């Protein structure tokens, strides 16, 4: 009986580790082309979220890099979930970056959806 419980414990631990494993975060560099804030609930992105579109050059020129998200509460996507006040502040900064042609670096969870960290740089 003790042997069976050890085996069950080992299986449970391996299942637990497998379910918590995520892809390593990635770094995204570019320029903010557009930023969108919505309060619409979305299962993937949460209750209210900000979308940041990144291109390789300023003023929506160059190639499209991707859309990345400041997730709201209740998001099913992996990544940090920001409060409404944080999202509004991040939206304002992203909008400024888009209009000023400021370079941005995003640290994004491995699936490329949720933004974990943001850095704005002068050109």
């Amino acid at each position: 009986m003790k042997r069976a419980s050890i085996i069950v414990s080992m299986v449970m631990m391996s299942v637990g580790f497998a379910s918590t494993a995520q892809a390593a975060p990635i770094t995204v560099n570019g320029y903010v082309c557009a930023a969108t804030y919505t309060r619409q609930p979305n299962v993937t992105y949460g209750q209210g979220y900000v979308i940041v579109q990144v291109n390789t050059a300023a003023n929506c020129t160059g190639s499209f890099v991707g859309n990345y998200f400041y997730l709201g509460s209740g998001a099913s996507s992996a990544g940090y979930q920001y409060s409404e006040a944080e999202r509004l502040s991040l939206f304002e900064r992203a909008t400024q970056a888009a209009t000023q042609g400021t370079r941005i670096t995003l640290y994004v969870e491995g699936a490329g959806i949720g933004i974990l960290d943001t850095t704005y740089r002068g050109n």
Side-chain angles (χ1 to χ4, degrees), residues 34-58:
T36 304
Y37 174 77
T38 181
R39 292 187 63 187
Q40 280 289 56
N42 182 291
V43 172
T44 305
Y45 311 123
Q47 178 64 40
Y49 53 93
V50 175
I51 306 167
V52 177
Q53 179 184 332
V54 178
N55 281 33
T56 57

Side-chain angles (χ1 to χ4, degrees), residues 9-123:
S9 293
M10 290 174 65
V11 168
M12 294 299 283
M13 283 176 44
S14 68
V15 168
F17 289 130
S19 66
T20 58
Q22 295 178 357
I26 59 171
T27 301
V28 174
N29 291 297
Y31 295 82
V32 178
C33 173
T36 304
Y37 174 77
T38 181
R39 292 187 63 187
Q40 280 289 56
N42 182 291
V43 172
T44 305
Y45 311 123
Q47 178 64 40
Y49 53 93
V50 175
I51 306 167
V52 177
Q53 179 184 332
V54 178
N55 281 33
T56 57
N59 302 316
C60 297
T61 59
S63 302
F64 173 76
V65 175
N67 287 320
Y68 304 96
F69 297 81
Y70 293 111
L71 304 173
S73 62
S76 65
S77 179
Y80 183 78
Q81 295 179 12
Y82 295 85
S83 71
E84 184 175 18
E86 289 172 318
R87 290 190 312 273
L88 287 170
S89 177
L90 291 162
F91 170 67
E92 183 178 340
R93 292 292 311 266
T95 302
Q96 273 184 331
T99 58
Q100 295 173 353
T102 306
R103 189 160 176 72
I104 188 171
T105 298
L106 301 174
Y107 194 53
V108 181
E109 60 87 16
I113 296 176
I115 300 170
L116 303 172
D117 185 59
T118 306
T119 302
Y120 296 99
R121 281 192 244 121
N123 296 330

